[in-house]
């Protein structure tokens, strides 16, 4: 016999994972401000193995338009620069022998609109995941009637599920609104 609470908590966990993924995706969208998270996908050749940039250097944002990369080993400056140039970031690194700097250029109006569209698409994908979690839980609840769960308990479960769904859809919309605001702020 299906436990309605476990079904609801499983659906809520799936919805929470969709929101966490959305937050992670939004962190990787460059919004004209320096954010060290845009460097997460970059891998550097460190003594024969490819490692994340954060494993071979200290990353910081000294101001709103600059990312500073301070390698722990000065021999790593060239491989780090090469990894950044080869990446899809579109940024050119400069160094003074100790620190590599990435200047984040201001966004054009057209690029801002493109980033808002990209963010909207990412948000819609998260909402689809949330709806899919709701759909799967609803299917489980409907099947539970055959297993002997009372109809009124199943209906209460559906109502609770809808409230959980609405809460996570609102969270996704709020995250998108914040990201849109961040992108469009000059």
């Amino acid at each position: 016999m299906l436990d309605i609470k476990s079904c609801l908590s499983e659906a809520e966990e799936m919805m929470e994972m969709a929101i966490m993924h959305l937050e992670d995706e939004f962190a990787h969208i460059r919004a004209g401000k320096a954010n060290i998270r845009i460097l997460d996908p970059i891998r550097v050749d460190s003594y024969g193995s490819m490692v994340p940039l954060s494993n071979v250097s200290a990353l910081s944002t000294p101001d709103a338009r600059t990312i500073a990369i301070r390698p722990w080993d000065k021999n790593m400056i060239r491989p780090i620069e090469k990894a950044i140039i080869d990446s899809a970031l579109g940024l050119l690194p400069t160094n003074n022998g100790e620190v590599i700097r990435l200047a984040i250029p201001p966004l054009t109006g057209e690029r801002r609109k493109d980033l808002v569209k990209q963010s909207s698409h990412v948000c819609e994908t998260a909402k689809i995941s949330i709806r899919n979690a709701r759909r799967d839980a609803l299917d489980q609840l409907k099947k539970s009637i055959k297993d002997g769960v009372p109809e009124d308990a199943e209906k209460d479960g559906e109502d609770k599920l809808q409230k959980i769904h609405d809460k996570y859809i609102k969270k996704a919309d709020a995250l998108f609104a914040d990201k849109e605001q961040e992108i469009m702020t000059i």
Side-chain angles (χ1 to χ4, degrees):
M1 193 162 133
L2 178 77
D3 181 24
I4 292 176
K5 284 185 180 179
S6 67
C7 178
L8 292 176
S9 67
E10 187 177 310
E12 187 168 12
E13 185 178 326
M14 295 300 289
M15 292 177 192
E16 184 63 38
M17 287 171 44
I19 293 293
M20 288 169 47
H21 181 72
L22 177 64
E23 289 172 337
D24 189 52
E25 287 292 314
F26 278 170
H28 290 97
I29 295 176
R30 186 161 56 105
K33 291 183 200 153
N35 181 354
I36 61 173
R37 296 281 309 267
I38 65 171
L39 301 175
D40 285 353
I42 295 179
R43 300 285 183 254
V44 179
D45 183 15
S46 174
Y47 303 106
S49 62
M50 299 303 280
V51 297
L53 182 58
S54 60
N55 285 9
V56 295
S57 61
L59 307 173
S60 63
T61 53
D63 60 55
R65 297 248 183 251
T66 308
I67 297 175
I69 304 165
R70 184 178 300 273
W72 292 316
D73 180 0
K74 290 187 181 172
N75 295 330
M76 291 301 297
I77 288 179
R78 292 281 176 243
I80 289 172
E81 284 183 328
K82 182 179 181 331
I84 292 169
I85 291 169
D86 293 346
S87 74
L89 281 180
L91 299 174
L92 286 175
T94 58
N95 81 66
N96 63 5
E98 290 185 17
V99 177
I100 300 169
R101 297 192 189 284
L102 296 175
I104 308 295
L107 298 174
T108 63
E110 187 175 316
R111 180 69 178 136
R112 289 178 192 280
K113 290 177 185 171
D114 289 344
L115 288 174
V116 169
K117 283 182 189 175
Q118 180 184 354
S119 299
S120 174
H121 178 70
V122 169
C123 182
E124 193 54 42
T125 303
K127 286 181 179 181
I128 289 169
S129 296
I130 292 168
R131 288 187 206 111
N132 286 343
R134 178 187 60 179
R135 183 197 63 220
D136 294 344
L138 279 174
D139 290 346
Q140 283 183 340
L141 289 172
K142 289 188 189 313
K143 288 178 185 174
S144 70
I145 293 177
K146 294 177 186 171
D147 295 338
V149 173
E151 275 190 47
D152 58 340
E154 186 265 342
K155 288 293 180 197
D156 287 344
E158 282 185 24
D159 291 342
K160 288 177 184 173
L161 181 63
Q162 186 62 41
K163 287 178 183 170
I164 293 169
H165 167 268
D166 293 344
K167 177 177 93 172
Y168 282 97
I169 291 291
K170 281 181 184 173
K171 269 189 184 180
D173 286 337
L175 287 170
F176 172 68
D178 291 346
K179 188 64 177 181
E180 183 180 27
Q181 177 76 31
E182 178 186 341
I183 292 169
M184 296 309 281
T185 300
I186 297 176

